């Protein structure tokens, strides 16, 4: 920080507004002049090391927010948007983008939001479609960087109460539902609930669960029901604060928060973080220790951002065989691997389907030099029936290679050594000699030479 200038006015301004402070009030708390704070917010003065320390001490400010909170996701994310063919004639280079972010961060953020909204709202004919509730909910989750402190704290308190009552979490939850809420748990045969895994029958005062659920999923379903009752007030407040105009987005967000609370009861923050650090974030061992599924543990790893007790910043994606993502959580990682709708076939998350249930570990490097240690494995949803379609997904879990030394999965891997070069899908990747390339990058002129044939089927011009 002391060796380079850091212009972070957008992050400081966002923090001040979040705290509901005027520039004068915040300046007084930081022991600086209002005029100096004004210059910092306008990116006319760099953020000094001393001011950064004061921000951290006074407001629990996380220095990683300087990267995660960049307008539009930062220079790399803005350049990916500008790679759209509609901007091809403008020839905007990296320096121009960086100057734009420094001089007009609000304008850059507005451009990013408008571009993203246009991208998800336009149908193939160019007509406007309804807003995507899934995208809206994901943006709200990322705004919190995947961590909901109040929910985590309440879930941890509840978990401690349940733990005192019995060593068996599922049994303790079942007893609490029965005694405190007059709800019994009933396991029903698959022919009675052929298309459902969980149902609440308020008339019979029953939580009805399918017999196809494994123990981890049964515990989660019971905890989810308890969360709907006992965490309702806290969840209502978060949903209201999101201000969704779309009813579907509101309900989807509520479901996510309820699931978040349930997972936090099964894997209480402090105990889970201690176990992560003690085991080197060994996902399979954490599964057994907390009675959870692989996907549940992977998602939980993306949420460990409690102030003063942060875990490693993981990201997670879940894809199907066609490469379509049904879950994307970047947490505090800031990874571009969760931003793109397309993925690189050289990333082993796609290969996981060839070796079901095996954990594939891979060191990858993006075009901007960011290196990630990734873990990939397949998972199958509950509710399998013979003769029916058996769904299968691949989970991609990753953390920055710079932070991966303590991981059990990193043993024997040279984190500074050779990495697999991957991109964010062929249309966003400008690696010229990739034999796996399926399309030229957007915004690049396609070059055809009838006398030559390179490794790649597509040859294209430069920036």
């Amino acid at each position: 920080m002391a060796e380079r200038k850091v212009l972070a006015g957008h992050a400081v301004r966002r923090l001040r507004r979040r705290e509901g402070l005027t520039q004068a009030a915040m300046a007084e708390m930081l022991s600086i002049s209002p005029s100096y704070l004004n210059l910092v917010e306008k990116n006319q003065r760099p953020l000094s090391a001393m001011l950064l320390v004061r921000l951290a001490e006074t407001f629990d400010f996380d220095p990683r927010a300087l990267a995660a909170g960049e307008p539009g996701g930062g220079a790399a994310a803005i350049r990916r948007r500008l790679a759209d063919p509609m901007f091809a004639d403008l020839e905007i280079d990296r320096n121009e983008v960086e100057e734009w972010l420094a001089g007009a961060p609000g304008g850059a953020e507005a451009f990013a939001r408008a571009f993203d909204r246009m991208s998800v709202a336009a149908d193939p004919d160019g007509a406007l479609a309804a807003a995507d509730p899934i995208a809206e909910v994901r943006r709200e989750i990322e705004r919190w960087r995947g961590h909901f402190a109040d929910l985590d704290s309440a879930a941890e308190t509840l978990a401690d109460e349940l733990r005192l009552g019995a060593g068996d979490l599922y049994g303790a939850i079942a007893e609490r539902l029965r005694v405190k809420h007059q709800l019994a748990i009933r396991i029903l045969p698959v022919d009675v609930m052929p298309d459902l895994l969980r149902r609440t029958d308020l008339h019979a005062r029953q939580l009805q669960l399918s017999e196809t659920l494994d123990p981890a999923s049964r515990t989660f379903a019971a905890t989810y029901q308890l969360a709907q009752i006992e965490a309702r007030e806290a969840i209502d407040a978060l949903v209201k604060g999101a201000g969704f105009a779309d009813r579907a987005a509101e309900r989807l967000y509520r479901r996510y928060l309820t699931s978040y609370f349930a997972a936090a009861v099964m894997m209480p923050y402090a105990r889970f973080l201690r176990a992560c650090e003690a085991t080197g974030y060994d996902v399979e061992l954490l599964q057994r220790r907390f009675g959870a599924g692989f996907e549940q543990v992977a998602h939980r790893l993306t949420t460990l951002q409690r102030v003063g007790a942060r875990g490693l910043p993981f990201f997670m994606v879940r894809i199907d065989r066609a490469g379509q993502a049904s879950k994307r959580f970047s947490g505090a990682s800031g990874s571009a691997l969760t931003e793109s709708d397309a993925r690189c076939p050289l990333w082993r998350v796609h290969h996981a389907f060839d070796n079901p249930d095996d954990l594939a570990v891979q060191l990858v490097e993006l075009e901007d030099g960011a290196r990630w240690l990734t873990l990939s494995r397949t998972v199958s949803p509950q509710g399998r029936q013979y003769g029916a379609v058996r769904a299968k997904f691949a989970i991609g879990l990753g953390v920055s290679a710079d932070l991966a030394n303590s991981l059990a999965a990193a043993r024997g891997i040279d984190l500074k050594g050779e990495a697999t070069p991957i991109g964010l899908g062929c249309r966003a990747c400008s690696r010229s000699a990739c034999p796996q390339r399926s399309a030229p990058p957007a915004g690049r002129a396609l070059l055809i030479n009838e006398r030559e044939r390179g490794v790649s089927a597509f040859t294209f011009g430069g920036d």
Side-chain angles (χ1 to χ4, degrees):
M1 178 67 71
E3 295 177 356
R4 65 186 181 94
K5 293 183 178 181
V6 176
L7 299 174
H10 57 279
V12 175
R13 182 167 56 252
R14 186 177 296 119
L15 173 64
R16 177 174 63 78
R17 290 175 176 173
R18 187 191 76 191
E19 298 292 328
L21 298 172
T22 63
Q23 284 188 338
M26 187 179 207
E28 183 177 356
M29 296 174 73
L30 296 172
S31 300
I32 59 176
S33 68
S35 59
Y36 178 68
L37 178 59
N38 183 50
L39 292 173
V40 168
E41 288 193 5
K42 290 182 176 180
N43 280 331
Q44 294 178 10
R45 291 290 186 277
L47 188 64
S48 67
M50 182 177 294
L51 182 53
L52 179 61
V53 170
R54 289 177 184 170
L55 285 167
E57 291 176 344
T58 308
F59 301 104
D60 284 331
F61 178 72
D62 182 3
R64 283 177 291 189
L66 298 181
E70 288 184 321
I78 292 292
R79 291 196 77 205
R80 282 196 295 275
R81 295 179 177 95
L82 291 171
D84 189 281
M86 77 171 81
F87 306 121
D89 64 316
L90 299 180
E91 299 182 353
I92 301 174
D93 62 24
R94 183 183 297 273
N95 290 334
E96 286 183 273
V97 172
E98 291 176 348
E99 290 173 3
W100 185 20
L101 288 171
E109 176 67 20
F111 160 75
R113 292 184 186 182
F115 182 88
D116 294 346
R117 177 63 62 87
M118 179 190 68
S119 298
V120 302
D123 66 17
D125 296 322
L128 291 181
D132 182 356
I134 296 175
E136 289 186 33
V137 170
R138 181 171 178 265
R139 281 193 290 271
E140 183 64 14
I141 294 169
E142 299 302 338
R143 188 173 74 84
W144 288 87
R145 305 177 74 203
H147 177 70
F148 299 85
D150 291 344
L151 285 186
D152 246 310
S153 179
E156 197 165 28
T157 299
L158 177 57
D160 288 342
E161 292 179 20
L162 294 168
R163 191 182 182 195
L164 290 174
D168 171 28
L169 180 61
Y170 176 77
I173 293 171
E175 182 68 7
R176 190 178 183 101
L177 286 171
R178 184 184 67 80
V179 174
K180 190 171 182 179
H181 304 293
Q182 293 75 54
L183 273 175
I185 296 180
R186 186 179 180 187
I187 309 300
L188 294 178
V190 66
D191 56 332
V192 176
M193 287 177 37
D195 301 317
L196 293 174
L197 300 178
R198 170 183 57 84
R199 177 173 59 200
T200 304
D201 187 334
L202 294 178
H203 179 72
R205 302 303 299 171
Q206 288 180 351
L207 169 61
Q208 299 169 347
L209 304 179
S210 171
E211 65 179 345
T212 62
L213 293 176
D214 63 22
S217 298
R218 286 188 186 182
T219 301
F220 183 84
T223 314
Y224 185 94
Q225 179 66 63
L226 193 59
Q228 285 184 310
I229 300 170
E230 299 200 10
R232 182 173 181 176
E233 185 176 338
I235 291 172
D236 282 346
L238 287 166
V239 172
K240 183 178 180 180
F244 293 117
D246 184 81
R247 183 68 170 167
E250 182 179 299
R251 289 180 173 176
L252 190 62
Y253 189 47
R254 184 182 300 279
R255 185 172 73 180
Y256 173 84
L257 294 173
T258 307
S259 297
Y260 182 102
F261 186 91
V265 171
M266 291 178 65
M267 295 167 276
Y269 195 100
R271 275 192 281 145
F272 186 73
L273 180 58
R274 285 196 300 269
C276 288
E277 294 173 341
T279 64
Y281 290 82
D282 188 323
V283 180
E284 294 176 343
L285 187 54
L286 292 169
Q287 279 183 255
R288 301 186 187 97
R289 187 169 296 186
F290 290 90
F294 184 89
E295 184 175 339
Q296 292 170 343
V297 172
H299 184 194
R300 184 62 169 146
L301 289 175
T302 70
T303 69
L304 302 180
Q305 292 301 304
R306 176 177 287 177
V307 173
R310 288 187 167 90
L312 294 180
F314 282 87
F315 71 83
M316 183 195 116
V317 296
R318 188 181 76 174
I319 65 169
D320 62 15
R321 286 182 180 273
Q324 301 170 114
S326 49
K327 289 185 179 180
R328 292 187 286 172
F329 303 112
S330 62
S333 71
S335 177
L337 288 167
T338 63
E339 294 179 14
S340 176
D341 289 325
R343 270 154 293 282
C344 180
L346 299 180
W347 186 17
R348 285 185 194 162
V349 67
H350 297 279
H351 306 181
F353 295 104
D354 299 330
N355 300 284
D357 302 325
D358 289 347
L359 188 67
V361 182
Q362 183 184 24
L363 184 65
V364 300
E365 181 172 337
L366 296 177
E367 284 190 273
D368 61 3
R371 295 162 67 89
W372 303 89
L373 185 71
T374 66
L375 294 74
S376 304
R377 208 201 83 171
T378 58
V379 295
S380 294
Q382 298 293 298
R384 178 191 178 191
Q385 298 181 47
Y386 289 105
V389 173
R390 185 181 184 184
K392 192 173 285 292
F393 297 94
I395 300 293
L397 184 66
V399 69
S400 172
D402 294 336
L403 305 173
N405 281 317
S406 63
L407 266 62
R411 292 169 189 161
I413 296 178
D414 181 4
L415 296 173
K416 296 187 180 296
E418 185 176 356
T420 303
I422 68 171
L424 301 175
C426 292
R427 298 293 285 170
C429 177
S430 60
R431 298 187 192 276
S432 59
C434 178
Q436 187 67 61
R437 179 173 288 283
S438 299
R444 299 290 186 89
L446 187 61
L447 306 179
I448 307 297
N449 188 333
E450 295 181 356
R451 293 173 298 182
E452 293 180 353
R453 172 61 163 85
V455 173
S456 172
F458 299 96
T459 305
F460 44 87
D463 286 316

